[in-house]
Amino acid sequence: MRYEELRQAVWRANMEIVDAGLVEVTWGNASGVDREAGVMVIKPSGVPFNAMRPEHMTIQCLSSGEVLGGSLRPSTDSPTHRALYHAFGSIGGIVHTHSPYATSWAQAVKALPCLGTTHADHFRGAVPITRSMRDTEIASGYELNTGAVIIECFAKNRIDPLQVPGVLVAHHGPFTWGSDPTEAAVNATVLESLARNAVYTLAINPAAEQPGRELLDKHFFRKHGPGAYYGQDAVNQTSS
């Protein structure tokens, strides 16, 4: 994917999270990566979404963070995005929002439990919460260390980032990712919906429990992995 194509894709993902009601003011960002070219494209810092155009997206060297294109400063969260691209080698897009329900779980420092099949369709298990950041991590390299605590959380809990494409950063908010910026934006929308559903479920029944693993895995794997059969392609291949 050439730079201008990637800029278009990243700009569209930023517009998609606005249209989905996941961001207000300038709170949020989407990025995309071209691993072959070694570049990342991300929203500029502090620019209102309604004023942004594809040419405003900033191009950075994935390894160094050096700005390679664009006249505006990149998002302050770009070190977090770069850290995740380095750690999770199969992802191609990242979205960060401050959407109200997912952010509420993050501020409560609670993982988002998998309470039903709607959740299991998209995330194989709870959406984890990171540990709180240490004062030294906040004082120096805050954004880079935000990425580090996400990476630590997935490694410590042996979570596959392709099966759980999102995280709640303690006291902060959600990050999601996907194969490209569009999929990352879809996962951000899904995460917000699941966070809202969990709030309603626990309001009705505070003792609600996670269903059995067999049911949850059935829902996850019918949409994901080599045995997936959900969707028109699978139907067309098996129908006579």
Side-chain angles (χ1 to χ4, degrees):
M1 181 181 288
R2 297 189 62 81
Y3 296 172
E4 293 312 311
E5 294 173 341
L6 186 56
R7 271 179 155 173
Q8 287 278 350
V10 169
W11 174 76
R12 284 195 302 270
N14 278 285
M15 295 302 101
E16 286 161 5
I17 60 176
V18 173
D19 292 343
L22 304 182
V23 297
E24 298 177 81
V25 198
T26 60
W27 303 341
N29 44 70
S31 73
V33 69
D34 183 334
R35 294 186 181 276
E36 184 176 345
V39 301
M40 179 184 81
V41 172
I42 194 167
K43 170 188 176 288
S45 177
V47 176
F49 286 86
N50 61 6
M52 289 193 312
R53 299 293 180 266
E55 60 269 23
H56 296 144
M57 304 298 105
T58 60
I59 303 168
Q60 291 181 273
C61 175
L62 185 59
S63 60
S64 69
E66 177 188 358
V67 175
L68 303 175
S71 60
L72 300 173
R73 286 183 296 157
S75 168
T76 54
D77 290 318
S78 63
T80 308
H81 289 237
R82 287 177 44 237
L84 295 180
Y85 284 128
H86 285 299
F88 302 155
S90 298
I91 67 174
I94 297 171
V95 162
H96 169 51
T97 74
H98 292 264
S99 56
Y101 285 92
T103 299
S104 295
W105 283 92
Q107 291 183 165
V109 196
K110 294 289 186 181
L112 178 62
C114 183
L115 296 174
T117 61
T118 304
H119 184 126
D121 279 342
H122 297 275
F123 292 81
R124 192 181 181 215
V127 178
I129 184 79
T130 69
R131 64 168 172 81
S132 298
M133 294 178 69
R134 304 182 183 98
D135 289 348
T136 54
E137 294 169 324
I138 296 167
S140 178
Y142 169 67
E143 290 82 9
L144 184 61
N145 287 326
T146 299
V149 296
I150 295 171
I151 296 161
E152 174 192 288
C153 175
F154 275 69
K156 180 179 179 180
N157 295 290
R158 299 182 180 180
I159 301 171
D160 184 342
L162 295 183
Q163 294 187 347
V164 181
V167 68
L168 303 171
V169 177
H171 311 289
H172 187 172
F175 283 80
T176 58
W177 46 83
S179 61
D180 55 31
T182 296
E183 186 173 82
V186 169
N187 288 334
T189 300
V190 170
L191 177 55
E192 178 65 2
S193 179
L194 299 179
R196 181 180 64 242
N197 288 352
V199 168
Y200 293 161
T201 300
L202 293 171
I204 295 168
N205 178 12
E209 297 181 354
Q210 175 175 292
R213 172 54 63 186
E214 185 171 354
L215 176 62
L216 298 182
D217 276 355
K218 177 65 175 180
H219 271 260
F220 182 82
F221 286 113
R222 69 178 186 166
K223 284 191 172 184
H224 307 275
Y229 60 88
Y230 178 90
Q232 292 303 310
D233 288 343
V235 170
N236 291 337
Q237 290 169 6
T238 58
S239 62
S240 57

